[in-house]
Amino acid sequence: MKESQGNPLHLKSLNHISLVCRSLEESMDFYQNVLGFVPIRRPGSFDFNGAWLFGHGIGIHLLQSENPENLPKKKEINPKDNHISFQCESMGAVEKKLKDMGIEYVRAMVEEGGIYVEQLFFHDPDGFMIEICNCDNLPVIPLAGEMPRSCSRVNLQVLQQRQQIHQVVQQ
């Protein structure tokens, strides 16, 4: 495997994802009322139909398809398909809300070293996969060279405490 070159492009963060949709209105409704994104201003110089939304630290750029009838429609919810994942505060609350909204979903569970991560997968109106998880339970551990990280400040503090204890025990 090739050695990592750090951050050669000097990237700062994920800015947005762009999704082509059958119905701009239906997709806007989904991203606003299911996932909690809010519409934001997009450049008026664009000569195509679309909308920008923002939430949870990232943007969603929706683009109205010029040929919506030609867009493939995914029906099967496959957790191994391309998707975007959001962390949540309460998996139970998310599952209840999805049931209340009549949104079909698939549950999954990941276990690593006694740590469990719950996952819920479902589609947006165009079949793009969405995952909701409590992934911050699982530490982000680089393969080599760097300190373990966490998606959660609380879990990061626990990891740092464990490392300090491990270092003291080794001395």
Side-chain angles (χ1 to χ4, degrees):
M1 183 159 71
K2 208 174 192 184
E3 187 177 326
S4 173
Q5 299 299 313
N7 186 4
L9 299 180
H10 306 282
L11 302 178
K12 297 190 315 184
S13 66
L14 175 65
N15 180 270
H16 70 274
I17 64 167
S18 183
L19 301 169
V20 176
C21 51
R22 278 184 190 77
S23 165
L24 186 60
E25 293 74 25
E26 195 176 329
S27 293
M28 284 185 65
D29 179 64
F30 175 87
Y31 283 96
Q32 288 178 81
N33 297 315
V34 175
L35 297 178
F37 282 79
V38 296
I40 60 170
R41 180 188 229 166
R42 77 190 267 265
S45 61
F46 286 157
D47 62 353
F48 55 91
N49 199 7
W52 285 10
L53 299 106
F54 187 81
H56 318 291
I58 65 163
I60 303 275
H61 293 185
L62 299 174
L63 307 173
Q64 175 62 55
S65 173
E66 293 178 8
N67 298 303
E69 61 282 346
N70 293 341
L71 285 179
K73 180 74 171 166
K74 293 182 182 175
K75 297 188 189 290
E76 179 187 348
I77 299 174
N78 177 359
K80 295 178 184 172
D81 203 350
N82 295 328
H83 63 275
I84 187 168
S85 178
F86 297 95
Q87 296 182 153
C88 71
E89 294 177 17
S90 168
M91 292 298 291
V94 170
E95 188 167 14
K96 181 182 182 324
K97 192 68 172 172
L98 291 174
K99 281 181 185 174
D100 291 348
M101 293 181 185
I103 296 175
E104 182 183 346
Y105 62 90
V106 169
R107 292 179 120 270
M109 176 84 72
V110 174
E111 186 273 330
E112 177 68 26
I115 298 171
Y116 293 89
V117 173
E118 296 175 78
Q119 303 166 296
L120 297 171
F121 294 90
F122 54 97
H123 287 148
D124 79 356
D126 295 295
F128 183 71
M129 183 80 67
I130 309 292
E131 174 189 358
I132 307 291
C133 68
N134 58 356
C135 296
D136 58 346
N137 289 348
L138 196 61
V140 177
I141 302 174
L143 294 177
E146 290 189 34
M147 300 288 285
R149 301 174 193 269
S150 174
C151 297
S152 154
R153 288 187 181 150
V154 172
N155 286 343
L156 181 58
Q157 290 169 348
V158 169
L159 279 172
Q160 289 170 338
Q161 289 171 351
R162 286 181 186 167
Q163 285 176 332
Q164 289 170 351
I165 291 168
H166 184 70
Q167 289 171 349
V168 168
V169 169
Q170 286 181 332
Q171 292 176 357

